[in-house]
Amino acid sequence: MSCNNKGRLFIISAPSGAGKTTLCTMLMKKYPAVNYSISYTTRAPRENEINGKDYFFIDKDTFKKMADNNDFIEWAEVHGNFYGTSKSQIETALNNGMDIILDIDPQGAMQLKEKITNATYIFITAPSMNELKERLVKRGTEKDEHISLRLENAKKEVEYFMHYDYLIINDATDEAFKQLENIYLAEKLRTTQYSKVIEFMHI
Ligand code: 5GP
């Protein structure tokens, strides 16, 4: 019997191009209990993005209504668009024992740090700004002006790293994944994860 049956929340931030999506996808593939929370956004979908899988794509009015209705556990304006995390989605998933990754920007992460202490805060970055730029250009999902905006924002975002529990500098994917996996496995062994009286106590 597993006594360690509580879902755990992992809050992960990274500037665009740091490789966060690749690393999180690798983690979810290896550990099926890990899932993404699907955020709500007013950003237009990119090619290949699916509504309800990558994001819930909504208009600004709907977003505002949801924010006013307190439906989000946090929300922020990032790169000119609004993004928010659904409160009920997180609660349901954690109650079902799922581990949840919140892929959110530092503004959102700092809002959560005030409210949720029993969670793991991880910051991922590339080894340099040049490397970030190269990866963003290579990725080819953003127009030139959007790349400049994302790089400008990256400079501000990395200043927040000291507020996170862990820092992963993603120089090589395999090494960075090992680090993320180690963090995940260790955090799942925290005493706060155990909700039942466990056998060794009765020896
Ligand atoms: P993208 O447009 O590249 O999918 O995401 C842009 C930024 O928005 C990323 O830094 C991502 O972490 C952040 N983001 C995505 N969903 C949320 C959310 O629900 N809340 C906040 N605060 N940021 C989010």
Side-chain angles (χ1 to χ4, degrees), residues 12-17 20-21 37-41 43-44 46 49 54-55 57 63 72 74-79 81-86 102-109 111 139 141-142 150 157:
I12 305 190
S13 304
S16 301
K20 170 186 56 184
T21 307
S37 145
I38 303 167
S39 294
Y40 287 75
T41 184
R43 166 167 80 59
R46 296 181 184 126
E49 281 186 328
D54 298 286
Y55 282 104
F57 295 98
F63 193 97
F72 297 128
E74 64 72 37
W75 65 267
E77 185 176 355
V78 191
H79 315 316
N81 295 300
F82 292 99
Y83 296 82
T85 306
S86 154
L102 296 191
D103 164 356
I104 62 176
D105 87 308
Q107 302 173 74
Q111 289 174 45
R139 193 168 91 178
T141 54
E142 311 299 323
R150 280 174 184 251
E157 287 173 354

mmCIF file of all heavy atoms in Angstrom, residues 12-17 20-21 37-41 43-44 46 49 54-55 57 63 72 74-79 81-86 102-109 111 139 141-142 150 157, ligand 1:
data_model
loop_
_atom_site.group_PDB
_atom_site.id
_atom_site.type_symbol
_atom_site.label_atom_id
_atom_site.label_comp_id
_atom_site.label_asym_id
_atom_site.label_seq_id
_atom_site.Cartn_x
_atom_site.Cartn_y
_atom_site.Cartn_z
ATOM 1 N N ILE A 12 6.395 25.806 -11.840
ATOM 2 C CA ILE A 12 7.612 25.906 -12.660
ATOM 3 C C ILE A 12 7.544 27.146 -13.541
ATOM 4 O O ILE A 12 6.575 27.350 -14.283
ATOM 5 C CB ILE A 12 7.795 24.639 -13.530
ATOM 6 C CG1 ILE A 12 7.777 23.395 -12.636
ATOM 7 C CG2 ILE A 12 9.087 24.737 -14.334
ATOM 8 C CD1 ILE A 12 8.175 22.098 -13.307
ATOM 9 N N SER A 13 8.573 27.985 -13.443
ATOM 10 C CA SER A 13 8.658 29.159 -14.306
ATOM 11 C C SER A 13 9.962 29.110 -15.081
ATOM 12 O O SER A 13 10.954 28.559 -14.602
ATOM 13 C CB SER A 13 8.640 30.457 -13.497
ATOM 14 O OG SER A 13 7.501 30.531 -12.691
ATOM 15 N N ALA A 14 9.931 29.721 -16.257
ATOM 16 C CA ALA A 14 11.134 29.781 -17.083
ATOM 17 C C ALA A 14 10.910 30.816 -18.166
ATOM 18 O O ALA A 14 9.785 30.950 -18.651
ATOM 19 C CB ALA A 14 11.388 28.424 -17.729
ATOM 20 N N PRO A 15 11.953 31.543 -18.559
ATOM 21 C CA PRO A 15 11.771 32.421 -19.705
ATOM 22 C C PRO A 15 11.507 31.602 -20.971
ATOM 23 O O PRO A 15 11.904 30.427 -21.037
ATOM 24 C CB PRO A 15 13.108 33.172 -19.812
ATOM 25 C CG PRO A 15 14.017 32.599 -18.799
ATOM 26 C CD PRO A 15 13.290 31.591 -17.984
ATOM 27 N N SER A 16 10.822 32.189 -21.945
ATOM 28 C CA SER A 16 10.549 31.475 -23.203
ATOM 29 C C SER A 16 11.858 31.014 -23.826
ATOM 30 O O SER A 16 12.799 31.800 -23.933
ATOM 31 C CB SER A 16 9.875 32.404 -24.205
ATOM 32 O OG SER A 16 8.692 32.891 -23.706
ATOM 33 N N GLY A 17 11.911 29.752 -24.191
ATOM 34 C CA GLY A 17 13.100 29.231 -24.860
ATOM 35 C C GLY A 17 14.044 28.502 -23.914
ATOM 36 O O GLY A 17 15.071 27.966 -24.340
ATOM 37 N N LYS A 20 11.603 24.511 -20.883
ATOM 38 C CA LYS A 20 10.686 24.043 -19.837
ATOM 39 C C LYS A 20 9.688 23.002 -20.361
ATOM 40 O O LYS A 20 9.467 21.967 -19.721
ATOM 41 C CB LYS A 20 9.961 25.267 -19.285
ATOM 42 C CG LYS A 20 8.813 25.025 -18.366
ATOM 43 C CD LYS A 20 8.136 26.358 -18.032
ATOM 44 C CE LYS A 20 7.715 27.089 -19.298
ATOM 45 N NZ LYS A 20 7.140 28.419 -19.042
ATOM 46 N N THR A 21 9.112 23.267 -21.520
ATOM 47 C CA THR A 21 8.085 22.352 -22.038
ATOM 48 C C THR A 21 8.690 20.971 -22.314
ATOM 49 O O THR A 21 8.103 19.942 -21.962
ATOM 50 C CB THR A 21 7.448 22.930 -23.319
ATOM 51 O OG1 THR A 21 7.009 24.253 -23.014
ATOM 52 C CG2 THR A 21 6.256 22.113 -23.776
ATOM 53 N N SER A 37 -1.461 21.441 -15.346
ATOM 54 C CA SER A 37 -2.723 22.153 -15.214
ATOM 55 C C SER A 37 -2.911 22.905 -16.537
ATOM 56 O O SER A 37 -1.953 23.420 -17.100
ATOM 57 C CB SER A 37 -2.611 23.111 -14.037
ATOM 58 O OG SER A 37 -3.327 24.276 -14.282
ATOM 59 N N ILE A 38 -4.124 22.923 -17.034
ATOM 60 C CA ILE A 38 -4.362 23.620 -18.306
ATOM 61 C C ILE A 38 -4.877 25.020 -18.000
ATOM 62 O O ILE A 38 -5.959 25.188 -17.433
ATOM 63 C CB ILE A 38 -5.367 22.835 -19.179
ATOM 64 C CG1 ILE A 38 -4.822 21.422 -19.409
ATOM 65 C CG2 ILE A 38 -5.608 23.544 -20.509
ATOM 66 C CD1 ILE A 38 -5.839 20.460 -19.973
ATOM 67 N N SER A 39 -4.073 26.011 -18.358
ATOM 68 C CA SER A 39 -4.412 27.393 -18.038
ATOM 69 C C SER A 39 -5.435 27.960 -19.018
ATOM 70 O O SER A 39 -5.650 27.408 -20.101
ATOM 71 C CB SER A 39 -3.159 28.262 -18.120
ATOM 72 O OG SER A 39 -2.242 27.901 -17.140
ATOM 73 N N TYR A 40 -5.996 29.069 -18.620
ATOM 74 C CA TYR A 40 -6.865 29.846 -19.501
ATOM 75 C C TYR A 40 -6.047 31.011 -20.038
ATOM 76 O O TYR A 40 -5.267 31.603 -19.296
ATOM 77 C CB TYR A 40 -8.064 30.381 -18.723
ATOM 78 C CG TYR A 40 -9.067 29.303 -18.372
ATOM 79 C CD1 TYR A 40 -8.815 28.390 -17.347
ATOM 80 C CD2 TYR A 40 -10.264 29.179 -19.077
ATOM 81 C CE1 TYR A 40 -9.726 27.391 -17.040
ATOM 82 C CE2 TYR A 40 -11.175 28.183 -18.772
ATOM 83 C CZ TYR A 40 -10.903 27.295 -17.755
ATOM 84 O OH TYR A 40 -11.800 26.295 -17.455
ATOM 85 N N THR A 41 -6.184 31.310 -21.326
ATOM 86 C CA THR A 41 -5.450 32.452 -21.874
ATOM 87 C C THR A 41 -6.253 33.192 -22.934
ATOM 88 O O THR A 41 -7.102 32.598 -23.606
ATOM 89 C CB THR A 41 -4.090 32.028 -22.476
ATOM 90 O OG1 THR A 41 -3.396 33.202 -22.909
ATOM 91 C CG2 THR A 41 -4.251 31.107 -23.676
ATOM 92 N N ARG A 43 -4.422 34.635 -25.263
ATOM 93 C CA ARG A 43 -3.515 34.566 -26.433
ATOM 94 C C ARG A 43 -4.162 33.718 -27.529
ATOM 95 O O ARG A 43 -4.865 32.749 -27.228
ATOM 96 C CB ARG A 43 -2.163 33.961 -25.997
ATOM 97 C CG ARG A 43 -1.303 33.551 -27.172
ATOM 98 C CD ARG A 43 0.122 33.249 -26.835
ATOM 99 N NE ARG A 43 0.449 31.940 -26.265
ATOM 100 C CZ ARG A 43 0.219 30.767 -26.841
ATOM 101 N NH1 ARG A 43 -0.423 30.681 -27.996
ATOM 102 N NH2 ARG A 43 0.605 29.653 -26.235
ATOM 103 N N ALA A 44 -3.865 34.081 -28.779
ATOM 104 C CA ALA A 44 -4.386 33.283 -29.900
ATOM 105 C C ALA A 44 -3.637 31.951 -29.941
ATOM 106 O O ALA A 44 -2.447 31.906 -29.628
ATOM 107 C CB ALA A 44 -4.165 34.039 -31.199
ATOM 108 N N ARG A 46 -1.423 28.927 -31.196
ATOM 109 C CA ARG A 46 -0.407 28.730 -32.243
ATOM 110 C C ARG A 46 -0.839 27.554 -33.092
ATOM 111 O O ARG A 46 -1.688 26.759 -32.683
ATOM 112 C CB ARG A 46 0.953 28.379 -31.612
ATOM 113 C CG ARG A 46 1.525 29.463 -30.772
ATOM 114 C CD ARG A 46 2.892 29.042 -30.215
ATOM 115 N NE ARG A 46 3.396 30.053 -29.317
ATOM 116 C CZ ARG A 46 3.793 29.835 -28.063
ATOM 117 N NH1 ARG A 46 3.752 28.610 -27.564
ATOM 118 N NH2 ARG A 46 4.238 30.820 -27.321
ATOM 119 N N GLU A 49 -1.658 23.999 -31.640
ATOM 120 C CA GLU A 49 -2.185 24.046 -30.272
ATOM 121 C C GLU A 49 -3.679 23.698 -30.288
ATOM 122 O O GLU A 49 -4.409 24.137 -31.181
ATOM 123 C CB GLU A 49 -1.966 25.421 -29.634
ATOM 124 C CG GLU A 49 -0.548 25.594 -29.132
ATOM 125 C CD GLU A 49 -0.335 26.898 -28.370
ATOM 126 O OE1 GLU A 49 -0.987 27.903 -28.692
ATOM 127 O OE2 GLU A 49 0.499 26.908 -27.477
ATOM 128 N N ASP A 54 -3.752 22.315 -24.729
ATOM 129 C CA ASP A 54 -2.621 23.210 -24.436
ATOM 130 C C ASP A 54 -3.066 24.345 -23.517
ATOM 131 O O ASP A 54 -2.361 24.717 -22.582
ATOM 132 C CB ASP A 54 -2.064 23.775 -25.743
ATOM 133 C CG ASP A 54 -1.549 22.668 -26.632
ATOM 134 O OD1 ASP A 54 -0.481 22.143 -26.319
ATOM 135 O OD2 ASP A 54 -2.231 22.307 -27.611
ATOM 136 N N TYR A 55 -4.179 24.906 -23.837
ATOM 137 C CA TYR A 55 -4.796 25.980 -23.049
ATOM 138 C C TYR A 55 -6.293 25.905 -23.288
ATOM 139 O O TYR A 55 -6.749 25.280 -24.237
ATOM 140 C CB TYR A 55 -4.347 27.369 -23.567
ATOM 141 C CG TYR A 55 -2.973 27.819 -23.142
ATOM 142 C CD1 TYR A 55 -1.906 27.770 -24.038
ATOM 143 C CD2 TYR A 55 -2.741 28.330 -21.871
ATOM 144 C CE1 TYR A 55 -0.634 28.211 -23.669
ATOM 145 C CE2 TYR A 55 -1.481 28.778 -21.492
ATOM 146 C CZ TYR A 55 -0.433 28.712 -22.394
ATOM 147 O OH TYR A 55 0.814 29.150 -22.013
ATOM 148 N N PHE A 57 -8.549 28.525 -24.681
ATOM 149 C CA PHE A 57 -8.412 29.823 -25.338
ATOM 150 C C PHE A 57 -9.736 30.575 -25.217
ATOM 151 O O PHE A 57 -10.765 30.101 -25.714
ATOM 152 C CB PHE A 57 -8.028 29.632 -26.813
ATOM 153 C CG PHE A 57 -6.679 29.004 -26.982
ATOM 154 C CD1 PHE A 57 -6.542 27.634 -27.224
ATOM 155 C CD2 PHE A 57 -5.519 29.767 -26.879
ATOM 156 C CE1 PHE A 57 -5.290 27.042 -27.368
ATOM 157 C CE2 PHE A 57 -4.256 29.193 -27.017
ATOM 158 C CZ PHE A 57 -4.150 27.827 -27.254
ATOM 159 N N PHE A 63 -12.435 36.142 -19.812
ATOM 160 C CA PHE A 63 -11.349 36.093 -18.827
ATOM 161 C C PHE A 63 -11.673 37.005 -17.648
ATOM 162 O O PHE A 63 -11.544 36.626 -16.482
ATOM 163 C CB PHE A 63 -10.017 36.509 -19.475
ATOM 164 C CG PHE A 63 -8.821 36.184 -18.626
ATOM 165 C CD1 PHE A 63 -8.087 35.019 -18.834
ATOM 166 C CD2 PHE A 63 -8.421 37.019 -17.584
ATOM 167 C CE1 PHE A 63 -6.997 34.701 -18.033
ATOM 168 C CE2 PHE A 63 -7.336 36.707 -16.784
ATOM 169 C CZ PHE A 63 -6.619 35.554 -17.013
ATOM 170 N N PHE A 72 -9.927 32.004 -10.642
ATOM 171 C CA PHE A 72 -8.493 31.745 -10.791
ATOM 172 C C PHE A 72 -7.794 31.770 -9.436
ATOM 173 O O PHE A 72 -8.057 32.642 -8.606
ATOM 174 C CB PHE A 72 -7.843 32.794 -11.695
ATOM 175 C CG PHE A 72 -8.366 32.803 -13.102
ATOM 176 C CD1 PHE A 72 -8.814 33.985 -13.692
ATOM 177 C CD2 PHE A 72 -8.395 31.638 -13.849
ATOM 178 C CE1 PHE A 72 -9.293 33.995 -14.995
ATOM 179 C CE2 PHE A 72 -8.874 31.632 -15.157
ATOM 180 C CZ PHE A 72 -9.326 32.821 -15.730
ATOM 181 N N GLU A 74 -4.605 32.203 -9.414
ATOM 182 C CA GLU A 74 -3.708 33.311 -9.744
ATOM 183 C C GLU A 74 -3.926 33.652 -11.198
ATOM 184 O O GLU A 74 -4.348 32.802 -11.974
ATOM 185 C CB GLU A 74 -2.234 32.945 -9.497
ATOM 186 C CG GLU A 74 -1.654 31.819 -10.355
ATOM 187 C CD GLU A 74 -1.408 32.181 -11.809
ATOM 188 O OE1 GLU A 74 -1.002 33.309 -12.089
ATOM 189 O OE2 GLU A 74 -1.651 31.338 -12.692
ATOM 190 N N TRP A 75 -3.624 34.884 -11.573
ATOM 191 C CA TRP A 75 -3.626 35.238 -12.988
ATOM 192 C C TRP A 75 -2.674 36.406 -13.201
ATOM 193 O O TRP A 75 -2.322 37.112 -12.246
ATOM 194 C CB TRP A 75 -5.041 35.551 -13.501
ATOM 195 C CG TRP A 75 -5.707 36.763 -12.914
ATOM 196 C CD1 TRP A 75 -6.529 36.788 -11.832
ATOM 197 C CD2 TRP A 75 -5.621 38.109 -13.388
ATOM 198 N NE1 TRP A 75 -6.954 38.072 -11.590
ATOM 199 C CE2 TRP A 75 -6.408 38.902 -12.532
ATOM 200 C CE3 TRP A 75 -4.956 38.733 -14.450
ATOM 201 C CZ2 TRP A 75 -6.548 40.282 -12.702
ATOM 202 C CZ3 TRP A 75 -5.088 40.099 -14.622
ATOM 203 C CH2 TRP A 75 -5.886 40.858 -13.756
ATOM 204 N N ALA A 76 -2.237 36.585 -14.444
ATOM 205 C CA ALA A 76 -1.283 37.665 -14.733
ATOM 206 C C ALA A 76 -1.355 38.029 -16.206
ATOM 207 O O ALA A 76 -1.827 37.234 -17.044
ATOM 208 C CB ALA A 76 0.130 37.223 -14.382
ATOM 209 N N GLU A 77 -0.870 39.244 -16.500
ATOM 210 C CA GLU A 77 -0.704 39.637 -17.900
ATOM 211 C C GLU A 77 0.742 39.335 -18.262
ATOM 212 O O GLU A 77 1.667 39.802 -17.590
ATOM 213 C CB GLU A 77 -0.998 41.131 -18.068
ATOM 214 C CG GLU A 77 -0.951 41.538 -19.530
ATOM 215 C CD GLU A 77 -1.349 43.007 -19.744
ATOM 216 O OE1 GLU A 77 -1.759 43.679 -18.771
ATOM 217 O OE2 GLU A 77 -1.233 43.451 -20.906
ATOM 218 N N VAL A 78 0.934 38.518 -19.281
ATOM 219 C CA VAL A 78 2.291 38.118 -19.686
ATOM 220 C C VAL A 78 2.434 38.365 -21.180
ATOM 221 O O VAL A 78 1.591 37.920 -21.967
ATOM 222 C CB VAL A 78 2.546 36.607 -19.405
ATOM 223 C CG1 VAL A 78 4.023 36.268 -19.574
ATOM 224 C CG2 VAL A 78 2.074 36.197 -18.019
ATOM 225 N N HIS A 79 3.493 39.044 -21.572
ATOM 226 C CA HIS A 79 3.751 39.366 -22.987
ATOM 227 C C HIS A 79 2.497 39.937 -23.671
ATOM 228 O O HIS A 79 2.183 39.594 -24.818
ATOM 229 C CB HIS A 79 4.202 38.134 -23.791
ATOM 230 C CG HIS A 79 5.237 37.274 -23.127
ATOM 231 N ND1 HIS A 79 6.341 37.789 -22.477
ATOM 232 C CD2 HIS A 79 5.347 35.919 -23.004
ATOM 233 C CE1 HIS A 79 7.069 36.791 -22.004
ATOM 234 N NE2 HIS A 79 6.486 35.649 -22.296
ATOM 235 N N ASN A 81 -0.684 39.353 -23.070
ATOM 236 C CA ASN A 81 -1.898 38.532 -23.009
ATOM 237 C C ASN A 81 -2.182 38.137 -21.555
ATOM 238 O O ASN A 81 -1.291 38.189 -20.722
ATOM 239 C CB ASN A 81 -1.717 37.252 -23.833
ATOM 240 C CG ASN A 81 -1.550 37.552 -25.301
ATOM 241 O OD1 ASN A 81 -2.421 38.131 -25.943
ATOM 242 N ND2 ASN A 81 -0.399 37.184 -25.847
ATOM 243 N N PHE A 82 -3.427 37.723 -21.302
ATOM 244 C CA PHE A 82 -3.789 37.305 -19.948
ATOM 245 C C PHE A 82 -3.731 35.777 -19.838
ATOM 246 O O PHE A 82 -4.120 35.065 -20.767
ATOM 247 C CB PHE A 82 -5.199 37.791 -19.592
ATOM 248 C CG PHE A 82 -5.271 39.283 -19.466
ATOM 249 C CD1 PHE A 82 -5.744 40.070 -20.507
ATOM 250 C CD2 PHE A 82 -4.834 39.910 -18.301
ATOM 251 C CE1 PHE A 82 -5.783 41.455 -20.403
ATOM 252 C CE2 PHE A 82 -4.866 41.292 -18.180
ATOM 253 C CZ PHE A 82 -5.342 42.072 -19.235
ATOM 254 N N TYR A 83 -3.248 35.323 -18.679
ATOM 255 C CA TYR A 83 -3.145 33.892 -18.406
ATOM 256 C C TYR A 83 -3.632 33.656 -16.972
ATOM 257 O O TYR A 83 -3.279 34.412 -16.071
ATOM 258 C CB TYR A 83 -1.691 33.422 -18.469
ATOM 259 C CG TYR A 83 -1.018 33.529 -19.817
ATOM 260 C CD1 TYR A 83 -0.483 34.733 -20.253
ATOM 261 C CD2 TYR A 83 -0.902 32.414 -20.647
ATOM 262 C CE1 TYR A 83 0.154 34.836 -21.479
ATOM 263 C CE2 TYR A 83 -0.261 32.505 -21.883
ATOM 264 C CZ TYR A 83 0.265 33.716 -22.285
ATOM 265 O OH TYR A 83 0.889 33.812 -23.504
ATOM 266 N N GLY A 84 -4.396 32.582 -16.762
ATOM 267 C CA GLY A 84 -4.875 32.301 -15.409
ATOM 268 C C GLY A 84 -4.994 30.815 -15.142
ATOM 269 O O GLY A 84 -5.212 30.012 -16.053
ATOM 270 N N THR A 85 -4.857 30.456 -13.855
ATOM 271 C CA THR A 85 -4.931 29.056 -13.424
ATOM 272 C C THR A 85 -6.249 28.804 -12.712
ATOM 273 O O THR A 85 -6.576 29.513 -11.756
ATOM 274 C CB THR A 85 -3.781 28.748 -12.430
ATOM 275 O OG1 THR A 85 -2.550 29.111 -13.031
ATOM 276 C CG2 THR A 85 -3.746 27.284 -12.057
ATOM 277 N N SER A 86 -6.969 27.791 -13.155
ATOM 278 C CA SER A 86 -8.280 27.477 -12.575
ATOM 279 C C SER A 86 -8.135 26.854 -11.183
ATOM 280 O O SER A 86 -7.427 25.863 -10.999
ATOM 281 C CB SER A 86 -9.016 26.503 -13.500
ATOM 282 O OG SER A 86 -9.937 25.732 -12.774
ATOM 283 N N LEU A 102 2.281 23.465 -12.536
ATOM 284 C CA LEU A 102 1.750 24.750 -12.981
ATOM 285 C C LEU A 102 2.867 25.453 -13.724
ATOM 286 O O LEU A 102 3.878 25.816 -13.124
ATOM 287 C CB LEU A 102 1.327 25.625 -11.806
ATOM 288 C CG LEU A 102 0.198 25.179 -10.912
ATOM 289 C CD1 LEU A 102 -0.221 26.319 -10.003
ATOM 290 C CD2 LEU A 102 -0.978 24.730 -11.728
ATOM 291 N N ASP A 103 2.679 25.598 -15.017
ATOM 292 C CA ASP A 103 3.679 26.281 -15.842
ATOM 293 C C ASP A 103 3.234 27.738 -15.910
ATOM 294 O O ASP A 103 2.407 28.101 -16.745
ATOM 295 C CB ASP A 103 3.676 25.583 -17.208
ATOM 296 C CG ASP A 103 4.364 26.382 -18.290
ATOM 297 O OD1 ASP A 103 4.782 27.524 -18.033
ATOM 298 O OD2 ASP A 103 4.476 25.854 -19.412
ATOM 299 N N ILE A 104 3.738 28.541 -14.984
ATOM 300 C CA ILE A 104 3.258 29.923 -14.902
ATOM 301 C C ILE A 104 4.428 30.901 -14.789
ATOM 302 O O ILE A 104 5.538 30.502 -14.428
ATOM 303 C CB ILE A 104 2.269 30.133 -13.724
ATOM 304 C CG1 ILE A 104 2.942 29.860 -12.385
ATOM 305 C CG2 ILE A 104 1.050 29.241 -13.886
ATOM 306 C CD1 ILE A 104 2.042 30.140 -11.193
ATOM 307 N N ASP A 105 4.161 32.161 -15.071
ATOM 308 C CA ASP A 105 5.232 33.155 -15.058
ATOM 309 C C ASP A 105 5.537 33.590 -13.612
ATOM 310 O O ASP A 105 4.750 33.286 -12.698
ATOM 311 C CB ASP A 105 4.835 34.355 -15.938
ATOM 312 C CG ASP A 105 4.037 35.364 -15.152
ATOM 313 O OD1 ASP A 105 3.039 34.963 -14.526
ATOM 314 O OD2 ASP A 105 4.427 36.543 -15.133
ATOM 315 N N PRO A 106 6.653 34.276 -13.384
ATOM 316 C CA PRO A 106 7.026 34.639 -12.010
ATOM 317 C C PRO A 106 5.989 35.504 -11.289
ATOM 318 O O PRO A 106 5.841 35.377 -10.069
ATOM 319 C CB PRO A 106 8.342 35.401 -12.188
ATOM 320 C CG PRO A 106 8.928 34.843 -13.440
ATOM 321 C CD PRO A 106 7.755 34.578 -14.331
ATOM 322 N N GLN A 107 5.250 36.348 -12.008
ATOM 323 C CA GLN A 107 4.201 37.150 -11.329
ATOM 324 C C GLN A 107 3.179 36.222 -10.683
ATOM 325 O O GLN A 107 2.777 36.405 -9.531
ATOM 326 C CB GLN A 107 3.450 38.028 -12.318
ATOM 327 C CG GLN A 107 4.260 39.005 -13.118
ATOM 328 C CD GLN A 107 3.358 39.659 -14.178
ATOM 329 O OE1 GLN A 107 2.541 40.488 -13.850
ATOM 330 N NE2 GLN A 107 3.520 39.265 -15.435
ATOM 331 N N GLY A 108 2.758 35.209 -11.448
ATOM 332 C CA GLY A 108 1.779 34.233 -10.937
ATOM 333 C C GLY A 108 2.384 33.414 -9.811
ATOM 334 O O GLY A 108 1.740 33.154 -8.793
ATOM 335 N N ALA A 109 3.638 32.994 -9.993
ATOM 336 C CA ALA A 109 4.303 32.167 -8.977
ATOM 337 C C ALA A 109 4.418 32.933 -7.659
ATOM 338 O O ALA A 109 4.206 32.370 -6.583
ATOM 339 C CB ALA A 109 5.685 31.740 -9.475
ATOM 340 N N GLN A 111 2.424 35.261 -6.608
ATOM 341 C CA GLN A 111 1.083 35.316 -5.982
ATOM 342 C C GLN A 111 0.823 34.025 -5.205
ATOM 343 O O GLN A 111 0.295 34.037 -4.102
ATOM 344 C CB GLN A 111 -0.009 35.444 -7.045
ATOM 345 C CG GLN A 111 -0.089 36.780 -7.748
ATOM 346 C CD GLN A 111 -1.129 36.727 -8.882
ATOM 347 O OE1 GLN A 111 -2.228 36.214 -8.734
ATOM 348 N NE2 GLN A 111 -0.752 37.258 -10.035
ATOM 349 N N ARG A 139 13.072 27.805 -32.612
ATOM 350 C CA ARG A 139 11.739 27.247 -32.357
ATOM 351 C C ARG A 139 10.738 27.715 -33.397
ATOM 352 O O ARG A 139 9.827 26.984 -33.778
ATOM 353 C CB ARG A 139 11.302 27.666 -30.941
ATOM 354 C CG ARG A 139 10.104 26.940 -30.417
ATOM 355 C CD ARG A 139 9.942 27.200 -28.934
ATOM 356 N NE ARG A 139 9.088 28.355 -28.699
ATOM 357 C CZ ARG A 139 8.746 28.801 -27.483
ATOM 358 N NH1 ARG A 139 9.198 28.205 -26.404
ATOM 359 N NH2 ARG A 139 7.954 29.853 -27.335
ATOM 360 N N THR A 141 8.221 29.744 -33.409
ATOM 361 C CA THR A 141 6.787 29.894 -33.135
ATOM 362 C C THR A 141 6.379 31.357 -32.975
ATOM 363 O O THR A 141 5.197 31.675 -32.987
ATOM 364 C CB THR A 141 6.382 29.165 -31.829
ATOM 365 O OG1 THR A 141 7.221 29.625 -30.769
ATOM 366 C CG2 THR A 141 6.490 27.664 -31.968
ATOM 367 N N GLU A 142 7.362 32.250 -32.835
ATOM 368 C CA GLU A 142 7.024 33.656 -32.583
ATOM 369 C C GLU A 142 7.510 34.542 -33.730
ATOM 370 O O GLU A 142 8.542 34.277 -34.332
ATOM 371 C CB GLU A 142 7.708 34.152 -31.290
ATOM 372 C CG GLU A 142 7.537 33.260 -30.082
ATOM 373 C CD GLU A 142 6.107 33.061 -29.659
ATOM 374 O OE1 GLU A 142 5.312 34.013 -29.742
ATOM 375 O OE2 GLU A 142 5.767 31.927 -29.251
ATOM 376 N N ARG A 150 9.713 38.883 -25.726
ATOM 377 C CA ARG A 150 9.961 37.752 -24.825
ATOM 378 C C ARG A 150 11.379 37.818 -24.235
ATOM 379 O O ARG A 150 11.593 37.477 -23.075
ATOM 380 C CB ARG A 150 9.710 36.426 -25.563
ATOM 381 C CG ARG A 150 8.226 36.110 -25.616
ATOM 382 C CD ARG A 150 7.832 34.919 -26.436
ATOM 383 N NE ARG A 150 6.375 34.822 -26.449
ATOM 384 C CZ ARG A 150 5.650 33.882 -25.817
ATOM 385 N NH1 ARG A 150 6.252 32.936 -25.142
ATOM 386 N NH2 ARG A 150 4.336 33.891 -25.859
ATOM 387 N N GLU A 157 12.394 38.393 -15.802
ATOM 388 C CA GLU A 157 11.946 37.155 -15.141
ATOM 389 C C GLU A 157 13.071 36.478 -14.360
ATOM 390 O O GLU A 157 12.856 35.986 -13.249
ATOM 391 C CB GLU A 157 11.366 36.190 -16.173
ATOM 392 C CG GLU A 157 10.005 36.633 -16.694
ATOM 393 C CD GLU A 157 9.489 35.775 -17.841
ATOM 394 O OE1 GLU A 157 10.217 34.902 -18.328
ATOM 395 O OE2 GLU A 157 8.347 35.998 -18.264
HETATM 396 P P1 5GP B 1 3.150 30.940 -23.890
HETATM 397 O O1 5GP B 1 2.414 32.078 -24.527
HETATM 398 O O2 5GP B 1 4.552 30.801 -24.451
HETATM 399 O O3 5GP B 1 2.398 29.656 -23.897
HETATM 400 O O4 5GP B 1 3.337 31.318 -22.353
HETATM 401 C C1 5GP B 1 3.857 32.552 -22.003
HETATM 402 C C2 5GP B 1 4.089 32.655 -20.516
HETATM 403 O O5 5GP B 1 2.857 32.575 -19.820
HETATM 404 C C3 5GP B 1 4.978 31.541 -19.948
HETATM 405 O O6 5GP B 1 5.925 32.178 -19.102
HETATM 406 C C4 5GP B 1 4.026 30.722 -19.143
HETATM 407 O O7 5GP B 1 4.672 30.139 -18.031
HETATM 408 C C5 5GP B 1 3.029 31.757 -18.695
HETATM 409 N N1 5GP B 1 1.742 31.157 -18.306
HETATM 410 C C6 5GP B 1 1.055 30.157 -18.877
HETATM 411 N N2 5GP B 1 -0.064 29.881 -18.201
HETATM 412 C C7 5GP B 1 -0.098 30.739 -17.151
HETATM 413 C C8 5GP B 1 -1.007 30.939 -16.056
HETATM 414 O O8 5GP B 1 -2.034 30.287 -15.899
HETATM 415 N N3 5GP B 1 -0.692 31.938 -15.179
HETATM 416 C C9 5GP B 1 0.442 32.697 -15.292
HETATM 417 N N4 5GP B 1 0.679 33.618 -14.369
HETATM 418 N N5 5GP B 1 1.314 32.533 -16.297
HETATM 419 C C10 5GP B 1 1.056 31.566 -17.219
#
